[in-house]
Amino acid sequence: MKKYTNIYIAWAAVFIILPLILILLYSFNGSGSIAFENFDFSLANYARFFSPLYLKMLGVSLAIAIATTIFCLIIGYPISYIMSKKDDRTAQIMLFIFIMPMWINLLLRTYGWITLLGRNGLLNRFLGIFNIGPLNIMYTPAAVIVGMVYEFLPFMVIQIYNALKKIDPNLIEAGLDLGASKKEIFTKVMLPLSMPGVYTGIIMVFIPAISTFVVSNLLGGQKVYMIGNLIDQQFTFTGNWGFGSAAAIILMVILFIALGLQRRFGRDIEGEMF
C-alpha cells in the first residue's frame, strides 16, 4: 500500500505540483518570456490584470458563470427529483440520456449549437413559421450561456440525483404518517437533505463555466470575451506567459474561494441535519 502511495505522490508532484509552481513563477516574470534566463521579478502582470479592461472581463466571466450555474440548478433539480422517484431501471435510462452527449467531442457538441442558434439555423427557421425573427442569438452572452448550460447540466443532475437517492425512504414515510403534506415533505425533508448535492453540483458547474474558453470562443466570437479566452490567448497567440500565468493564478484563487465556500456551507448543512 505504501508503494502505491509513493507512486501517487510522485505522479502528483510531477504533473500537478510542479506545473503549478512553474505557473506561479511565470506570473512574477515581468519580461513575459518563457526562458528563465530572462526572468525579471515584477508585480507588473498582476497590476496589469487589475486594470479596468481586465476587471470588466472578469466581471463578465463571473456573471456568465453564475447565470449558467443558476439555470443548471433551476433545470437540473426538477429533473433529478423526477429521476429519484422512478424505479432504478427507468432512472438509469434517464441518467444515460444525460450522460450520452458527453461521449461526443466538446467541439462537435458546440458546433451543433451554431447550427441551431445561427441566423439561418433551425431555431430561427422554426420561429419563422410563426413570423417571429430572425433572432440574433449567436455571438451574444445568451448564446454562450445556452451552450454552457447544455455542456454542464449533467454535472448538476448527477450530483443532485445521487443526494436524493441517498435519502432514507423511511424519513418520508414517517413524515406522511405524522400528517405532513407532500409540499411539507419536500420543503422540510427532501430539500434540506439534498443540499449537499446541490452545493457540490453548483461547484462542479461554476468551476468549468468560469474557466472555459471553447464554448465562449465558438458561440461568443469576438463579442463575448471571458477570462478563459484571455489565458488561452496569452499562452497560444500572444506568447506573454507572464501575464497569462498571473491571470491563471487569480482565476485559481477565485476557484479556491468557491471551493472553500462550498465546504463551509456543506459542513453547516451537515451540522444542522445531525
Side-chain angles (χ1 to χ4, degrees):
M1 187 67 180
K2 184 177 180 181
K3 175 183 177 181
Y4 293 110
T5 302
N6 293 335
I7 293 175
Y8 172 76
I9 293 174
W11 183 90
V14 173
F15 295 103
I16 299 176
I17 298 175
L18 181 60
L20 290 177
I21 293 175
L22 290 175
I23 291 295
L24 182 62
L25 290 175
Y26 275 124
S27 70
F28 292 104
N29 186 5
S31 67
S33 173
I34 301 176
F36 275 107
E37 54 265 24
N38 298 324
F39 189 89
D40 178 24
F41 182 84
S42 172
L43 296 176
N45 293 318
Y46 290 96
R48 179 184 174 187
F49 184 87
F50 286 101
S51 64
L53 174 63
Y54 298 113
L55 287 178
K56 181 180 178 180
M57 189 181 301
L58 178 61
V60 170
S61 302
L62 286 170
I64 291 178
I66 291 172
T68 299
T69 305
I70 291 173
F71 280 115
C72 283
L73 179 59
I74 292 174
I75 299 171
Y77 197 101
I79 294 173
S80 302
Y81 183 80
I82 293 172
M83 288 170 53
S84 69
K85 294 299 182 181
K86 301 294 183 180
D87 60 88
D88 290 340
R89 179 179 175 83
T90 304
Q92 291 300 320
I93 293 174
M94 295 176 67
L95 194 61
F96 174 76
I97 293 173
F98 277 95
I99 296 176
M100 184 171 60
M102 299 178 69
W103 297 350
I104 304 173
N105 184 272
L106 173 63
L107 284 173
L108 294 178
R109 298 201 306 267
T110 308
Y111 275 122
W113 279 105
I114 296 177
T115 305
L116 290 171
L117 301 178
R119 189 171 181 84
N120 296 317
L122 296 178
L123 178 61
N124 276 321
R125 290 183 183 181
F126 174 76
L127 294 176
I129 298 175
F130 306 98
N131 294 322
I132 302 175
L135 302 178
N136 295 317
I137 304 175
M138 279 298 298
Y139 310 123
T140 65
V144 176
I145 292 172
V146 168
M148 286 189 180
V149 169
Y150 170 74
E151 298 292 345
F152 306 133
L153 180 60
F155 299 148
M156 183 71 74
V157 170
I158 292 171
Q159 295 302 319
I160 299 177
Y161 169 75
N162 289 334
L164 290 170
K165 287 296 290 184
K166 292 179 181 178
I167 297 176
D168 190 348
N170 293 325
L171 295 175
I172 299 174
E173 293 180 6
L176 293 173
D177 292 340
L178 293 172
S181 64
K182 290 184 178 181
K183 180 181 178 180
E184 290 174 327
I185 291 294
F186 175 76
T187 57
K188 295 183 179 181
V189 179
M190 301 287 289
L191 184 59
L193 292 177
S194 66
M195 288 309 293
V198 171
Y199 286 132
T200 304
I202 288 174
I203 289 299
M204 292 193 68
V205 172
F206 178 79
I207 288 179
I210 194 175
S211 58
T212 188
F213 62 91
V214 175
V215 178
S216 55
N217 187 40
L218 294 178
L219 299 183
Q222 299 299 318
K223 297 182 179 180
V224 182
Y225 207 69
M226 298 180 63
I227 191 68
N229 300 103
L230 173 67
I231 296 172
D232 174 62
Q233 185 187 57
Q234 298 303 313
F235 281 101
T236 57
F237 295 104
T238 307
N240 190 340
W241 283 40
F243 183 56
S245 298
I249 292 294
I250 292 171
L251 181 59
M252 281 192 288
V253 170
I254 294 173
L255 298 182
F256 280 130
I257 292 173
L259 286 170
L261 291 174
Q262 185 267 338
R263 293 188 63 184
R264 171 67 182 274
F265 284 112
R267 284 197 299 266
D268 290 344
I269 290 293
E270 291 180 0
E272 292 176 2
M273 290 190 299
F274 302 103

